[in-house]
């Protein structure tokens, strides 16, 4: 067969029965991962920004997950979450939080949540470090003045710390939305997109097209679509960032 | 300002939260190390335990001497040293140009292209191998 395929490859991708689900999964995976990472990162940064004994130790411990290769982290969690031999099921059962063993990665009801949980575990230290360095550049007298004026802990956080972190938040969230949406390795290591396509995101789908069914045409069509979404998104981010740096200078 | 009693509460709560988070972060590694020293029949058991009854170095021996570990780590080392060195040289020069001539059109375009290449899907690279 030769000749110009026209939009055949695109049609094939769009009419794939798993296409809509893959898009839903990608959005779900990205939104919840980034939101969870942001909350965890902010919480740890606030906690670690205080002066207390052993701060250096806690900072090191919190940063460790970011340092390991994804394959190592994925395999370790895979093993710990194993329903037959895994430590997590055993501990949860012993504490009494669950009444029977849960197949976290093998049950389509829990698979996505579990993968997101592990992804948060791995990615939130990056947020912590960024927020922490931004927090340390906030002048201390701002907080002191607010405290003298009678602002409580939470008021000071929402009125002083959070606004000061606006610029770093924007950068880090935008970059992580891309990094998470295109993340392939974590899901592949832990579930390979299964069970029953429950964790199949667009990158996994591209991989399945090209390496499993050897349909490079469909894979390229899907890649092209994703590519244009990405370019559009990056342009949007670029404009926004330019505006912010204009405002700052 | 916070009074003494409130300060103690805040401190205690922070410590408790931090300890929970630290366990969450480090636990997989502790478990990895424990598993590394366990013999096969202790790993595949329905009741996992933190205590190793018959610690063994068999697993390490296998990785080091039978699986070609030395060769792999050599490859990793070569790749990372060369990639790091090359990108440092290029980045230093590019950084100078970008900061010095940032008003030129070409510099603006290449700046944008560099950022784009960072944010675009990794798996495009794979298609080169097909």
């Amino acid at each position: 067969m030769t000749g110009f395929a026209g939009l055949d490859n695109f049609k094939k991708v769009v009419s794939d029965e798993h296409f809509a689900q893959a898009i839903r999964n990608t959005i779900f995976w990205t939104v919840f991962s980034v939101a969870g990472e942001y909350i965890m990162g902010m919480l740890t940064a606030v906690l670690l920004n205080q002066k207390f004994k052993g701060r250096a130790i806690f900072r090191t411990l919190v940063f460790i997950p970011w340092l390991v290769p994804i394959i190592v982290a994925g395999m370790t969690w895979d093993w710990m979450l194993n329903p037959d031999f895994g430590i997590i099921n055993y501990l949860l059962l012993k504490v009494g939080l669950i009444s029977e063993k849960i197949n976290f990665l093998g049950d389509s009801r829990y698979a996505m949540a579990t993968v997101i949980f592990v992804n948060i575990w791995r990615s939130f230290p990056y947020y912590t470090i960024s927020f922490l360095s931004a927090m340390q550049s906030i002048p201390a007298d701002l907080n002191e003045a607010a405290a003298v004026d009678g602002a409580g802990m939470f008021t000071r956080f929402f009125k002083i710390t959070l606004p000061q972190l606006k610029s770093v938040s924007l950068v880090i969230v935008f970059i992580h939305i891309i990094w998470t949406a295109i993340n392939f390795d974590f899901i592949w290591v832990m579930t390979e997109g299964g069970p029953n396509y429950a964790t199949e995101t667009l990158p996994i789908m591209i991989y399945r097209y090209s390496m499993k069914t050897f349909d490079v045409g469909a894979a390229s069509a899907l890649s092209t679509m994703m590519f244009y979404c990405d370019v559009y998104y990056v342009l949007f981010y670029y404009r926004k960032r330019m505006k912010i740096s204009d405002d700052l200078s | 300002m916070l009074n003494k009693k409130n300060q103690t509460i805040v401190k205690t709560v922070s410590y408790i939260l931090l300890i929970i988070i630290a366990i969450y972060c480090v636990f997989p590694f502790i478990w990895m190390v424990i598993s590394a020293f366990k013999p096969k029949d202790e790993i595949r058991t329905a009741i996992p335990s933190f205590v190793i009854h018959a610690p063994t170095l068999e697993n390490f021996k296998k990785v080091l001497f039978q699986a070609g570990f030395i060769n792999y780590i050599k490859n990793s080392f070569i790749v990372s040293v060369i990639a790091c060195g090359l990108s440092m040289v290029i980045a230093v020069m590019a950084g100078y140009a970008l900061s010095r001539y940032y008003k030129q059109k070409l510099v603006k375009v290449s700046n944008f292209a560099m950022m784009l290449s960072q944010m675009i899907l990794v798996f495009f690279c794979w298609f080169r191998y097909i």
Side-chain angles (χ1 to χ4, degrees):
Chain A
M1 245 180 15
T2 52
F4 183 53
L7 289 173
D8 285 358
N9 284 323
F10 289 90
K11 270 183 206 143
K12 192 200 275 167
V13 171
V14 173
S15 60
D16 191 309
E17 54 178 328
H18 303 300
F19 182 63
Q21 199 193 2
I23 289 183
R24 266 204 308 276
N25 282 342
T26 309
I27 293 172
F28 197 77
W29 152 258
T30 309
V31 168
F32 280 93
S33 291
V34 172
E37 287 158 12
Y38 191 90
I39 293 169
M40 275 300 286
M42 188 61 89
L43 177 71
T44 43
V46 168
L47 288 174
L48 290 171
N49 198 31
Q50 306 170 83
K51 283 197 180 70
F52 60 88
K53 267 203 189 109
R55 187 164 68 159
I57 298 170
F58 280 115
R59 278 190 186 172
T60 319
L61 291 182
V62 163
F63 200 58
I64 284 180
W66 176 252
L67 301 174
V68 286
I70 289 183
I71 180 86
V72 175
M75 292 314 263
T76 312
W77 275 100
D78 202 10
W79 176 244
M80 292 196 333
L81 292 164
N82 185 304
D84 296 324
F85 311 115
I87 179 87
I88 290 184
N89 263 311
Y90 175 73
L91 286 180
L92 287 178
L93 208 60
K94 210 171 178 192
V95 176
L97 281 171
I98 52 174
S99 53
E100 56 181 22
K101 291 198 168 178
I102 295 176
N103 193 351
F104 286 105
L105 291 169
D107 191 323
S108 51
R109 280 172 301 171
Y110 307 116
M112 192 45 133
T114 311
V115 179
I116 290 173
F117 178 81
V118 178
N119 188 36
I120 291 172
W121 169 84
R122 142 98 189 168
S123 305
F124 88 86
Y126 193 83
Y127 290 68
T128 309
I129 295 297
S130 309
F131 289 149
L132 206 53
S133 61
M135 276 178 191
Q136 276 163 3
S137 67
I138 301 173
D141 28 338
L142 267 180
N143 265 312
E144 276 164 28
V148 169
D149 287 344
M153 217 165 39
F154 293 99
T155 323
R156 269 179 291 156
F157 173 73
F158 284 110
K159 299 274 174 184
I160 295 172
T161 314
L162 214 50
Q164 294 274 343
L165 296 178
K166 195 180 153 194
S167 149
V168 64
S169 294
L170 184 92
V171 172
I172 206 166
V173 166
F174 261 82
I175 286 180
H176 267 87
I177 286 175
I178 289 267
W179 281 354
T180 313
I182 67 172
N183 183 297
F184 166 80
D185 13 20
F186 234 129
I187 301 181
W188 189 256
V189 167
M190 292 182 63
T191 65
E192 303 196 0
N196 195 19
Y197 302 98
T199 53
E200 176 153 303
T201 56
L202 291 176
I204 302 272
M205 202 174 169
I206 294 173
Y207 184 84
R208 191 163 54 81
Y209 273 136
S210 69
M211 298 303 195
K212 296 280 161 179
T213 55
F214 298 105
D215 193 342
V216 179
S220 302
L222 185 50
S223 297
T224 311
M225 286 193 271
M226 231 186 135
F227 175 72
Y228 280 112
C229 290
D230 266 13
V231 170
Y232 186 77
Y233 180 82
V234 173
L235 279 171
F236 175 72
Y237 163 73
Y238 197 67
R239 284 221 193 99
K240 195 119 188 167
R241 206 189 65 173
M242 280 293 150
K243 221 185 116 217
I244 282 192
S245 45
D246 281 349
D247 288 348
L248 285 177
S249 58
Chain B
M1 282 275 152
L2 290 171
N3 58 37
K4 202 106 214 176
K5 198 181 149 206
N6 270 345
Q7 229 161 14
T8 335
I9 294 173
V10 168
K11 210 150 224 183
T12 324
V13 171
S14 322
Y15 265 119
I16 293 170
L17 279 176
L18 276 172
I19 288 169
I20 293 172
I21 291 168
I23 291 173
Y24 171 55
C25 289
V26 183
F27 184 74
F29 302 103
I30 297 174
W31 192 243
M32 190 169 77
V33 172
I34 292 176
S35 298
F37 287 105
K38 276 182 178 171
K40 215 175 226 160
D41 54 325
E42 270 189 63
I43 285 179
R44 291 207 168 268
T45 165
I47 308 161
S49 122
F50 287 97
V51 188
I52 312 165
H53 297 294
T56 168
L57 288 173
E58 210 48 50
N59 301 320
F60 286 92
K61 267 188 211 148
K62 201 189 257 168
V63 171
L64 274 174
F65 302 116
Q66 286 168 32
F69 179 76
I70 309 289
N71 198 18
Y72 299 150
I73 206 142
K74 198 179 77 199
N75 287 344
S76 296
F77 184 74
I78 292 173
V79 169
S80 43
V81 165
I82 292 178
C84 189
L86 270 181
S87 42
M88 209 163 73
V89 171
I90 296 172
V92 165
M93 295 199 258
Y96 180 78
L98 284 179
S99 66
R100 200 63 215 260
Y101 308 109
Y102 63 95
K103 289 224 163 88
Q104 284 181 19
K105 198 110 216 159
L106 190 67
V107 175
K108 270 185 186 166
V109 170
S110 60
N111 187 6
F112 181 72
M114 256 190 266
M115 196 184 69
L116 204 65
S117 74
Q118 269 296 299
M119 297 185 111
I120 296 304
L121 329 175
V122 183
F123 40 78
F124 270 119
C125 310
W126 294 358
F127 285 120
R128 268 184 261 155
Y129 300 111
I130 297 172

